[in-house]
Amino acid sequence: DGGRVIVLLNSTTRRDTGGKIVGVISVGQDITERKRVENALKESEARLLALAEASPAAIYLKDLDGQFLLASRAYRNWYGAQGDVRRKTVYDFFPEEDADMYTAHDREVIECRKSLEWEINVPSPSGKCLVVHSVQFPIFGSDGELTGIGGINMDITESKAAAAQIIQASKLSTLGEMATSVAHELNQPLSVIRMAAGNSLRKISNGSAKYEYLTGKLERISTQAERAAAIITHMQMFGRKASEEPCPIDPCDMVRGALGLMGEQLRLAEIDIKTELPEDCPSVKGHLIQTEQVILNLLTNARDAIQSYDQLKEKRIRLAVETEDSENIKVIVEDTGGGIPDNVVERIFEPFFTTKEIGMGTGLGLSVSYGIVRDMGGTIEASNTNRGARFVITLPIADAKKEMG
């Protein structure tokens, strides 16, 4: 058709019996299509490399032996990998302990042949510790065989810090709302201390104080002082930022801790609290203070819903901890406050969304609770019962939960 083709020419000399060259034999092969495919592949690789180089995320590809095939500029900058990283492994750039962790992640992706996610702390060359959300995925060839793995690491340090600030602001807001309740909680042991001290002083002044009597009063004063100190310590702990690493916690302790801070307030509101807590409960992994905050947010909403109905006959909140199966545990909070309007149930966990009157809520409580539960690898769902709202928190049991790197 008059077009040009690309030919691969293989030639060899032809010799006579004396070894003298008498000619040339050549075989030509049309490789036009092969060169077109090769050029298209090079262009595709160039586009992939340009995309990876321009991305703020740290992107990499490895073969099944863990050798890098590609590492983006962000990856090299984050981890101080200089020069050409191809055919090198994580052991060329990281301390052995970190390299072992990354290699274990690679093996897990290869074995399960599906995408996995981790949240890891990574020291950068500048000395700053980065919080990284890592997504790793398998790469399959055209024949369906596994050929390598890829990864996308995103720096979420700032977003984690912002989320922590929101959680802290929500906690302080909750503390403010509980001020009256805590005052009542402290007033009880202080009243006992005042009465015991007053009675002891009167006995001493009229000379009728006996050793056994004074000993009993002092023991009572000591017990009530310890109770008051425990309340104050709990408040101080609740107000602090959660900087410690997640650790195993008893879901029943979450409920007890929240009721310890808010139980008196609910009693003053004439709300009956029904708890269903198993004697032996599997642990979940998280921050105790943050999980108490989730329960407090739900209790606060339940209280407000119940109090909004002046003529409500049954004022009750039910708190239950149930083992769903060998992998998950449920924490249930139910109330008799009339429920959530059907047209807002789907939006109930959105930031700054609230059904309360202006000035009665920030709209952050349920959003913060959603984030805390999500970071623990769990879920929180809202629904309505015949008498009110029902929130179900599902958390993975610590032993069954995959450890974060």
Side-chain angles (χ1 to χ4, degrees):
D1 60 0
R4 291 180 176 271
V5 296
I6 301 173
V7 176
L8 176 63
L9 193 63
N10 292 308
S11 300
T12 186
T13 57
R14 181 182 179 191
R15 300 175 184 272
D16 60 15
T17 55
K20 181 179 179 180
I21 297 175
V22 295
V24 175
I25 299 176
S26 297
V27 177
Q29 180 183 3
D30 183 354
I31 60 169
T32 306
E33 180 60 21
R34 191 177 83 185
K35 293 298 291 184
R36 186 191 67 78
V37 172
E38 289 177 354
N39 290 336
L41 180 60
K42 288 180 180 179
E43 290 179 4
S44 177
E45 290 177 345
R47 287 194 293 268
L48 174 62
L49 181 60
L51 177 64
E53 289 291 282
S55 173
I59 300 172
Y60 60 88
L61 300 175
K62 299 178 186 177
D63 62 21
L64 295 179
D65 295 322
Q67 295 181 332
F68 284 99
L69 303 175
L70 177 150
S72 68
R73 181 183 291 109
Y75 188 96
R76 300 193 302 274
N77 291 341
W78 283 13
Y79 305 122
Q82 303 299 325
D84 189 358
V85 303
R86 287 176 296 180
R87 299 305 169 190
K88 293 182 179 180
T89 72
V90 288
Y91 289 94
D92 294 306
F93 310 115
F94 298 98
E96 184 175 358
E97 183 179 356
D98 293 339
D100 286 344
M101 177 185 68
Y102 298 137
T103 301
H105 289 175
D106 293 348
R107 285 199 298 267
E108 192 166 353
V109 172
I110 291 172
E111 289 172 3
C112 71
R113 299 170 70 90
K114 65 180 181 180
S115 297
L116 296 175
E117 299 183 25
W118 288 275
E119 186 177 299
I120 54 179
N121 294 323
V122 177
S124 68
S126 65
K128 177 184 177 183
C129 185
L130 304 177
V131 183
V132 174
H133 180 74
S134 177
V135 180
Q136 287 185 270
F137 51 89
I139 299 173
F140 299 96
S142 58
D143 57 357
E145 291 296 316
L146 186 64
T147 61
I149 58 173
I152 302 174
N153 292 353
M154 292 158 284
D155 183 359
I156 59 171
T157 308
E158 292 185 2
S159 62
K160 290 287 287 187
Q165 290 177 349
I166 292 175
I167 290 174
Q168 184 66 12
S170 178
K171 282 201 295 186
L172 295 178
S173 175
T174 302
L175 282 175
E177 293 179 6
M178 293 191 304
T180 302
S181 175
V182 172
H184 282 280
E185 288 281 2
L186 285 173
N187 189 52
Q188 288 187 354
L190 291 176
S191 296
V192 174
I193 291 171
R194 184 175 62 251
M195 291 178 62
N199 291 335
S200 298
L201 288 172
R202 281 194 296 272
K203 289 282 186 179
I204 293 173
S205 64
N206 61 28
S208 63
K210 295 182 179 181
Y211 175 80
E212 293 80 5
Y213 177 85
L214 293 178
T215 300
K217 291 297 182 184
L218 288 174
E219 289 177 349
R220 192 173 186 186
I221 289 173
S222 177
T223 299
Q224 295 303 315
E226 289 177 0
R227 179 185 173 189
I231 295 170
I232 294 172
T233 299
H234 198 164
M235 292 290 290
Q236 290 174 331
M237 291 177 59
F238 187 82
R240 292 176 190 157
K241 291 184 178 179
S243 56
E244 73 277 6
E245 290 294 316
C247 60
I249 53 178
D250 187 334
C252 294
D253 288 341
M254 295 161 40
V255 174
R256 295 188 189 101
L259 287 177
L261 289 173
M262 199 171 173
E264 181 64 15
Q265 187 178 142
L266 297 172
R267 186 188 68 80
L268 292 172
E270 299 181 342
I271 297 174
D272 178 38
I273 302 297
K274 181 182 180 183
T275 58
E276 299 173 11
L277 307 179
E279 292 184 6
D280 185 20
C281 186
S283 297
V284 298
K285 198 167 186 181
H287 300 92
L288 179 59
I289 300 302
Q290 287 188 359
T291 54
E292 284 184 8
Q293 183 181 358
V294 173
I295 305 299
L296 283 170
N297 287 338
L298 297 179
L299 288 175
T300 300
N301 286 343
R303 177 206 62 194
D304 293 346
I306 290 172
Q307 289 183 323
S308 66
Y309 285 85
D310 296 333
Q311 305 301 320
L312 193 63
K313 293 182 179 180
E314 184 182 22
K315 298 181 179 181
R316 176 177 294 180
I317 296 175
R318 172 178 173 260
L319 289 138
V321 175
E322 301 175 356
T323 303
E324 182 182 30
D325 49 41
S326 61
E327 295 186 354
N328 296 292
I329 199 162
K330 290 184 181 292
V331 181
I332 302 169
V333 180
E334 292 180 348
D335 64 61
T336 57
I340 308 165
D342 292 337
N343 61 330
V344 301
V345 169
E346 297 298 324
R347 301 184 58 196
I348 203 72
F349 296 109
E350 293 180 9
F352 305 108
F353 180 82
T354 179
T355 59
K356 299 177 183 178
E357 296 179 5
I358 296 176
M360 295 298 293
T362 62
L364 283 175
L366 288 178
S367 174
V368 167
S369 298
Y370 181 89
I372 292 173
V373 173
R374 179 198 58 202
D375 289 345
M376 294 174 66
T379 61
I380 178 170
E381 299 175 339
S383 61
N384 286 318
T385 66
N386 293 334
R387 295 178 294 177
R390 184 176 194 260
F391 286 84
V392 178
I393 301 167
T394 304
L395 297 171
I397 294 173
D399 292 340
K401 181 181 177 183
K402 195 177 298 298
E403 295 291 335
M404 301 289 281

